[in-house]
Amino acid sequence: MANLARVLGWVGVVAAFILAGAAHAQPVSSNQELIQQQQQRRSEQPGNNAPVWREIRSGQPQFNSVPGRESGVLIVSSGQTWRALRDGPIMRYGGWLLVAVVVAIALYFLLRGPIRLRGKPTGRMIERFGGFERFVHWSVAITFCIMAITGLVILFGKVVLLPLTGHVFLSWLAALSKYLHNFVALLFILSLIVTIITFMRDNLLQAADRKWIATAGGLLGGGEVPSGRFNAGEKGWFWIGVLILGIVVSITGLVLLFPNFDQTRETMQIANIVHAIAAVLFMALGLGHIYMGTIGMAGAYRSMRTGYVDETWAKEHHALWYEDIKSGKIQAKTEQSALGELQRQH
């Protein structure tokens, strides 16, 4: 019996080895087939590493010792969609929108000319903007212009400037634009916040603004519509441009400016698209505001440079504001100016 048990034991061991070999035979064969397929692909289709790239482009994180939400993801396929949107419709339609606005302003100026006073200046000057208000306005205006110019270089430089300037000059200009855009951004955001707080109360909508909107500020007939300190057009610029678009470009800009907060690349791609669209719309509205504040209306630039406007200017362009000053409802400084000098300017 002892000999029989010993024989059965050896039979069991041999059977176990046979089963283990059978179990591993198929994977080995499969691995060999896979290796043969890869070798055949290299010989027939050199450079075709489809399985490797398929796995890379899957977006699934691989093994990586560097901590981070996407440190193990080599390629984010949504980057192709981002590039197609940025280099396609955003650059095309955004660029033509800015060109159309410039052409429209130029045609309007050639046909209409600047808006001048109908009456004669009195020489009695009324303070329209205080020193702090002018400082805040010029702070946001200067930083806005820097951000707009550098942003245009970054977005359109490759298409518009490269054929004219060549690679060397554009590389220097693009690098300078990038650094200015990044560092001036924080000053722009701070100035924007102070501007919103400073001018919000005077930009609240009033009943008189409805008539201004209905007649497009008098362009559709009836002459200039009486308004408060700011008319409905200026209020529209404040609420749509300064407040909404300004906040959108600021928030998306911060997402792009500080990637160290561990936002994903797809999040930054979305922020870049929204930032570009909002910035183009912001610049388009800003061109109209700059035109009316400089050559579009006589006396407008002087009001922001010196803070004072002539009594006739206040009466014709902001009649309700002028009436509130005359009635004492609004306190404003007044001073006497040389009438002859004013008449020469107008």
Side-chain angles (χ1 to χ4, degrees):
M1 293 296 294
N3 292 332
L4 180 61
R6 189 177 298 108
V7 170
L8 291 177
W10 282 108
V11 170
V13 171
V14 172
F17 276 106
I18 294 174
L19 292 176
H24 286 281
Q26 184 63 33
V28 169
S29 176
S30 299
N31 290 335
Q32 290 177 348
E33 291 178 1
L34 181 60
I35 293 173
Q36 292 176 356
Q37 290 176 0
Q38 292 176 350
Q39 291 175 346
Q40 184 177 1
R41 182 184 293 110
R42 291 193 187 99
S43 61
E44 295 178 354
Q45 302 176 4
N48 181 3
N49 292 323
V52 176
W53 286 106
R54 189 179 300 113
E55 185 175 2
I56 290 175
R57 294 177 60 84
S58 67
Q60 297 298 321
Q62 306 300 321
F63 298 101
N64 194 299
S65 61
V66 179
R69 297 177 63 185
E70 287 189 315
S71 61
V73 180
L74 184 61
I75 291 180
V76 178
S77 298
S78 59
Q80 291 184 341
T81 304
W82 161 75
R83 183 177 291 104
L85 287 174
R86 187 199 63 180
D87 296 346
I90 292 179
M91 291 182 61
R92 185 184 310 115
Y93 298 121
W96 283 115
L97 172 64
L98 295 176
V99 171
V101 171
V102 172
V103 172
I105 290 175
L107 290 175
Y108 181 81
F109 179 77
L110 292 175
L111 297 175
R112 173 68 170 78
I115 301 174
R116 301 184 182 277
L117 294 179
R118 297 185 300 273
K120 293 183 178 181
T122 63
R124 292 186 293 272
M125 309 299 292
I126 301 175
E127 185 182 39
R128 178 161 172 78
F129 298 108
F132 178 75
E133 291 177 324
R134 298 200 308 276
F135 173 79
V136 170
H137 176 271
W138 285 114
S139 297
V140 75
I142 293 173
T143 54
F144 172 82
C145 290
I146 295 175
M147 297 296 290
I149 294 173
T150 55
L152 290 174
V153 172
I154 295 171
L155 184 59
F156 298 104
K158 182 176 65 175
V159 176
V160 178
L161 297 178
L162 182 59
L164 302 175
T165 63
H167 291 82
V168 176
F169 178 81
L170 181 60
S171 64
W172 283 93
L173 182 61
L176 177 62
S177 298
K178 186 195 73 167
Y179 286 118
L180 283 175
H181 202 82
N182 290 347
F183 286 102
V184 176
L186 299 179
L187 294 176
F188 169 73
I189 294 173
L190 177 61
S191 301
L192 188 74
I193 295 173
V194 178
T195 298
I196 292 172
I197 297 173
T198 302
F199 293 102
M200 178 175 288
R201 188 182 69 172
D202 290 322
N203 279 281
L204 297 176
L205 296 178
Q206 300 174 340
D209 296 325
R210 298 176 184 175
K211 186 177 180 180
W212 195 99
I213 296 173
T215 62
L219 296 177
L220 301 180
E224 189 161 353
V225 180
S227 61
R229 189 185 185 194
F230 300 116
N231 59 41
E234 293 169 313
K235 292 178 180 179
W237 158 248
F238 176 84
W239 291 106
I240 299 175
V242 176
L243 185 69
I244 297 177
L245 294 177
I247 290 177
V248 171
V249 298
S250 298
I251 294 176
T252 54
L254 290 174
V255 173
L256 298 170
L257 194 58
F258 296 102
N260 50 296
F261 286 109
D262 207 23
Q263 57 265 37
T264 63
R265 280 170 282 181
E266 187 172 4
T267 298
M268 297 183 68
Q269 290 162 4
I270 295 173
N272 180 262
I273 295 297
V274 175
H275 185 81
I277 294 174
V280 169
L281 295 176
F282 201 2
M283 285 185 280
L285 292 177
L287 288 171
H289 177 74
I290 293 172
Y291 167 75
M292 292 303 297
T294 52
I295 62 175
M297 176 179 288
Y301 173 74
R302 176 190 175 92
S303 68
M304 187 52 71
R305 181 170 61 85
T306 66
Y308 285 85
V309 295
D310 187 83
E311 185 179 35
T312 302
W313 191 95
K315 190 185 303 183
E316 292 186 8
H317 297 311
H318 298 273
L320 300 181
W321 174 66
Y322 173 74
E323 292 173 2
D324 288 340
I325 293 175
K326 297 299 289 184
S327 65
K329 185 177 180 180
I330 297 178
Q331 299 296 323
K333 296 179 181 179
T334 59
E335 65 177 31
Q336 191 70 26
S337 180
L339 181 59
E341 179 184 355
L342 286 173
Q343 288 176 336
R344 286 196 300 271
Q345 291 178 353
H346 291 272

